[in-house]
Amino acid sequence: MKAAVVLQAGQTPVYQEFQQPVPQAGVKRVSVTAAALSQLTRSRASGLHYSSATQYPFVPGVDGTGRFDDGRRVYFFMPIAPFGSMAEQTLVAEQQCVLLPDDLDDITAAAIVNPAMSSWAAMTARAQLAAGETVLINGATGTSGKLAVQIARFLGAKKVIATGRNPASLQLLTSIGADAVISLTDDEQTLQEVFRQHFSAGVDVVVDYLWGDSAQLLLKAAAASAGTGVALRFVQVGAMGGKEITLPAAVLRSKAITLMGSGLGSITNDRLMDVMRQVLDATRPGGFNIATRAIPLSDVEQGWSLADGSRTVFTL
């Protein structure tokens, strides 16, 4: 069969022949229709991720959409090595597959689950967001952050606050569900005051994609608003703004703050698959919007490095 194949660490995948997968007990063969290019896929293919393969060659791709041999349409996650999603066929444990809603196309499904599940899991499985609460998305101008704004609104948030650095993207967020936007390009003193005002008005949940300086300022602002009586659930998801922060002990003593992370290691596999199912079922009813760029898998070498804000989806 044809596939994108990683021949050695750090090398761009090449389109060539690869061994045919053979189904076995508990493992389904999937004829792939679409596979999105995620940061996790890039990192694993480069050999830099802790879960990267140690044997070569292998097919990259951690998720995608396709069909079982009996014709059922599915979204699948974490194929069995050396097979990945960027091939004509792959092998996936049956429990790692979710049936696709009839009204959701393969390309959108392949593109949306990975970036959407980060905030869906953070808000539901971790923060247990309740309807009527206020959510602040720190780092909302990327693909995942934009979806987080839409998902917070869909899940019943009364107010959604979004931060980011890109002026055009910040403005766009107001049209997809954000009630207020905060530019992280402002100086520290200005940010501290703006954050303090929002926390004084009441923020129940923070979904943080950045960590670093902005997260540190948010936590300090939350502590400074202790008199509001509103407890805060702070969910750490990504670290694009820095891997570490300096957190004074007094911050955690000054206010009821629950600080937690959300990722593959903090949520059980069963719960994670349930999150993916919920995302897929809500995509059409919620009107979730994600910019996609569909490229034939045969053009994987050219499409691998594209980056313009759209989510690259390789099609077969």
Side-chain angles (χ1 to χ4, degrees), residues 47 84 95 151 154 164 216 219 243 262 268-269 277 285:
Q95 66 267 26
I151 288 168
F154 178 79
Q216 185 170 302
L219 287 164
K243 295 182 179 181
S262 184
T268 66
N269 185 71
R277 184 178 294 105

Side-chain angles (χ1 to χ4, degrees), residues 108-179:
T108 300
I112 205 167
V113 175
N114 190 287
M117 72 176 178
S118 64
S119 58
W120 192 287
M123 291 184 224
T124 60
R126 301 298 284 155
Q128 298 182 354
L129 176 69
E133 292 189 314
T134 294
V135 178
L136 188 152
I137 312 296
N138 190 35
T141 53
T143 298
S144 295
K146 289 174 185 174
L147 283 168
V149 169
Q150 300 171 68
I151 288 168
R153 185 63 74 191
F154 178 79
L155 292 174
K158 174 185 69 176
K159 183 177 181 181
V160 181
I161 306 161
T163 78
R165 291 184 174 278
N166 185 304
S169 294
L170 277 174
Q171 187 60 38
L172 171 65
L173 293 176
T174 61
S175 68
I176 60 173
D179 298 287

Side-chain angles (χ1 to χ4, degrees), residues 219-289:
L219 287 164
K220 289 181 178 179
S225 66
T228 63
V230 178
L232 173 67
R233 288 98 78 199
F234 190 107
V235 192
Q236 212 294 302
V237 180
M240 296 297 290
K243 295 182 179 181
E244 298 179 356
I245 67 170
T246 299
L247 183 63
V251 168
L252 298 180
R253 297 198 304 268
S254 301
K255 182 180 176 68
I257 299 176
T258 301
L259 183 59
M260 69 191 90
S262 184
L264 295 180
S266 61
I267 302 172
T268 66
N269 185 71
D270 287 347
R271 185 70 180 91
L272 189 63
M273 295 309 297
D274 189 45
V275 164
M276 295 177 184
R277 184 178 294 105
Q278 292 171 13
V279 167
L280 290 165
D281 288 342
T283 294
R284 286 304 181 206
F288 300 156
N289 180 52

Side-chain angles (χ1 to χ4, degrees), residues 3-37:
V5 182
V6 177
L7 300 176
Q8 60 185 25
Q11 185 181 82
T12 299
V14 295
Y15 186 68
Q16 64 177 48
E17 289 291 331
F18 196 76
Q19 61 182 296
Q20 198 86 20
V22 179
Q24 49 195 281
V27 178
K28 292 288 190 179
R29 178 169 55 196
V30 179
S31 294
V32 182
T33 53
L37 178 57

